[in-house]
Amino acid sequence: MNRRNIIFIVLILFGITGLFTYFQSLPSLLEKKPSLVTGKILTRPMEIDNFELIDQNNEVFNKKSLVGSWTVLFFGYTNCPDVCPTTIYKLAEIKNGIKEDLPSTSFNTVLVTLDPDRDSTERLDEYIGYFDETMLGVTGTYENIQSFTSSLSVFYQRINKDQGYDFNHTASIFVFDKDGSLFATMSPANTVGELEGDFFTILNNF
Amino acid sequence: MRTKSIKPLILIAFLSIAFGQEIFAELDVNDSWIRSAPPNSKIFSGYLKFKNVSPNEITIKKMKSNAFDQIEIHSSFIEDGISSMRKIDSLRIPENSEVKLDPGGYHLMMMSPKKEIKEGNLVELIIYYKTLDRIKILRSDAMVLRDGYE
Ligand SMILES: [Cu+2]
C-alpha cells in the first residue's frame, strides 16, 4: 500500500465519523426544545384529570386553579422537618428571583400534603404561613389525594415508627403551564441556582 | 517546706482543668443550628459539622438534649425518584476528617420538644461518641435559626 492510499483511507474514515455524528445529533437539532439540567420537559404537555382538593384558606383547589399562571407543585407533609422546609425555601428564593427579573410572569407554588390525618387546613395555614405565606398548602380526603397523586403517577407509602410515622414519596417537583397541563418535572435535590436556571429556561422559551 | 512543693502541682491541676478540653480535643463541633418551625411542631431538624481532629476513627453513638425527648441521626436521600429518610445507628467519622449534617442529607431528627423551641434560642446538645473503645461525652450549643448561618 502506498502513502497516497493510506491518506485516502484515513480521509474516508474521517468522512464516515463526521456523517455519523451529524446524523446522531440531527434529531436534537430538529427538535428545538431546550433541555433542563434538573429534570425534563414533557414531549407534549399532558392534560390531567380534574381533582378536588382544598387549600389553607379553605378554598377549593382543582384543575381550574392551575389555569392562568405557571404552577410549581410538590408533595410532602408538615411533620417532615428536613426535606420539606428545604424545598419550600428553595422555591421561595426562586419565586423571588422570577418576580424580580420577570415581573409580568405569574408563578405559583403549592405543597400538597400526603398526610391529611395530621395536616388539616388549620395546620397547613400555620405551617405555610411560617415558611412562605405566598405559597398554597393543599389537603383533601384520602380518596381525593389518592386520585390526584395517581393521575401524576406519584408514589407514596406510610412508614410507621416507634413514635409517629413518616412517608416515602416521589421527590419530583411538578411544573404546570398556564393551560394547567403538566409541562415538566424536576428534582428538588438540585441547588437553587440550577433549579432557577431551569425555570428561566422554561419561562423565557414558552 | 512541704507547702512549697505542692504549689506547682496545684497550678498544674488548675491549668489542666481550665485548658483540658482544648489540650485533649479530638472532636470539634461547628455551625450547629436547628431549623425553627411553627408553633405546635413536634419534630425539628438539626444540622452541624463534626470534625475529627484525632488520628483515630470516631463514631457518634447517640445524641441527647434537655430540650427534646429523643434525637436520632437520619439521612435523607432520593432513590429511584423516591424521597426517604433512614435512621443511622452510628455515624462514622474517619481520622482527621469532617462529616457535615446539611439540609437534604444527614440531619438530627429531634422529636417531642420538652419546651418551646424559639428562633434565636440556644439548645444544648450532648454528643456521645466512641473512640479507641471508650465512650466520651461532648456538649455543644445549637442556635435555633430559620435557614442556617448565611
Ligand atoms: Cu429525619
Side-chain angles (χ1 to χ4, degrees):
Chain A
M1 222 191 284
N2 63 30
R3 207 159 149 202
R4 213 193 226 170
N5 279 349
I6 290 174
I7 291 171
F8 186 65
I9 288 168
V10 167
L11 280 178
I12 285 183
L13 281 175
F14 269 121
I16 290 171
T17 355
L19 275 178
F20 187 70
T21 35
Y22 174 74
F23 280 116
Q24 247 189 344
S25 60
L26 203 55
S28 57
L29 284 173
L30 287 174
E31 188 192 327
K32 288 235 177 61
K33 249 176 199 170
S35 61
L36 303 182
V37 177
T38 68
K40 55 172 188 271
I41 295 175
L42 274 64
T43 354
R44 197 176 310 144
M46 187 187 96
E47 204 182 316
I48 60 163
D49 301 335
N50 197 16
F51 55 89
E52 185 82 20
L53 299 168
I54 185 162
D55 72 19
Q56 78 264 41
N57 308 309
N58 288 305
E59 309 235 2
V60 173
F61 183 80
N62 59 20
K63 204 175 154 181
K64 279 188 208 141
S65 317
L66 300 175
V67 178
S69 62
W70 286 90
T71 307
V72 178
L73 182 149
F74 72 102
F75 295 87
Y77 54 106
T78 70
N79 274 54
C80 141
D82 179 41
V83 169
C84 297
T86 305
T87 306
I88 292 174
Y89 280 137
K90 282 182 182 175
L91 291 180
E93 218 177 312
I94 291 164
K95 196 199 261 181
N96 283 334
I98 290 168
K99 210 170 159 188
E100 238 168 67
D101 296 332
L102 301 169
S104 61
T105 302
S106 168
F107 186 85
N108 294 328
T109 50
V110 183
L111 163 68
V112 179
T113 184
L114 299 169
D115 188 11
D117 265 357
R118 292 184 296 194
D119 292 342
S120 59
T121 51
E122 293 79 24
R123 169 66 184 159
L124 282 169
D125 189 32
E126 184 180 60
Y127 185 83
I128 296 291
Y130 189 82
F131 289 111
D132 174 15
E133 53 188 17
T134 67
M135 193 171 188
L136 279 185
V138 166
T139 185
T141 62
Y142 284 111
E143 294 73 24
N144 288 344
I145 290 175
Q146 178 66 56
S147 74
F148 183 54
T149 52
S150 66
S151 75
L152 289 171
S153 306
V154 164
F155 164 90
Y156 66 105
Q157 179 184 30
R158 179 173 154 160
I159 306 292
N160 290 315
K161 301 185 301 178
D162 303 344
Q163 284 180 37
Y165 54 90
D166 286 319
F167 287 89
N168 293 348
H169 60 89
T170 298
S172 306
I173 296 173
F174 294 85
V175 183
F176 294 87
D177 64 16
K178 282 187 273 190
D179 301 327
S181 296
L182 180 61
F183 188 83
T185 58
M186 297 179 189
S187 170
N190 294 281
T191 64
V192 172
E194 289 163 339
L195 290 165
E196 192 171 46
D198 277 350
F199 279 114
F200 277 105
T201 300
I202 291 175
L203 297 174
N204 284 325
N205 286 287
F206 298 95
Chain B
M1 291 295 117
R2 283 175 67 188
T3 45
K4 228 180 193 176
S5 56
I6 277 174
K7 262 186 192 165
L9 282 181
I10 292 173
L11 187 67
I12 287 170
F14 174 77
L15 282 176
S16 56
I17 288 166
F19 299 107
Q21 268 186 310
E22 313 305 320
I23 291 168
F24 302 112
E26 47 199 1
L27 181 63
D28 277 349
V29 177
N30 291 305
D31 304 339
S32 319
W33 64 285
I34 295 169
R35 170 156 279 157
S36 64
N40 302 318
S41 293
K42 302 279 185 293
I43 301 183
F44 289 73
S45 194
Y47 308 98
L48 51 82
K49 214 160 65 185
F50 286 119
K51 191 173 181 187
N52 180 352
V53 289
S54 82
N56 311 301
E57 181 179 291
I58 286 176
T59 44
I60 309 299
K61 301 305 281 186
K62 67 175 175 185
M63 305 264 299
K64 284 189 169 188
S65 170
N66 53 11
F68 293 93
D69 268 344
Q70 200 186 345
I71 300 182
E72 292 175 357
I73 300 175
H74 277 199
S75 162
S76 293
F77 60 99
I78 297 177
E79 203 172 71
D80 300 326
I82 308 296
S83 170
S84 327
M85 277 194 297
R86 184 194 293 132
K87 185 183 165 193
I88 306 284
D89 286 323
S90 64
L91 182 67
R92 216 174 62 83
I93 309 161
E95 60 271 23
N96 295 309
S97 62
E98 228 174 60
V99 172
K100 231 173 155 179
L101 279 67
D102 250 348
Y106 286 129
H107 57 275
L108 303 177
M109 192 83 161
M110 316 178 93
M111 288 163 275
S112 310
K114 292 186 207 168
K115 54 185 186 191
E116 206 188 332
I117 306 298
K118 271 193 282 190
E119 201 179 335
N121 285 4
L122 285 176
V123 171
E124 186 187 45
L125 299 174
I126 308 163
I127 301 150
Y128 293 73
Y129 67 96
K130 189 176 173 185
T131 178
L132 297 174
D133 281 326
R134 286 177 62 198
I135 299 284
K136 297 185 181 178
I137 291 177
L138 181 69
R139 285 165 204 276
S140 174
D141 283 337
M143 174 84 89
V144 182
L145 295 172
R146 282 210 163 226
D147 203 15
Y149 292 99
E150 316 264 1

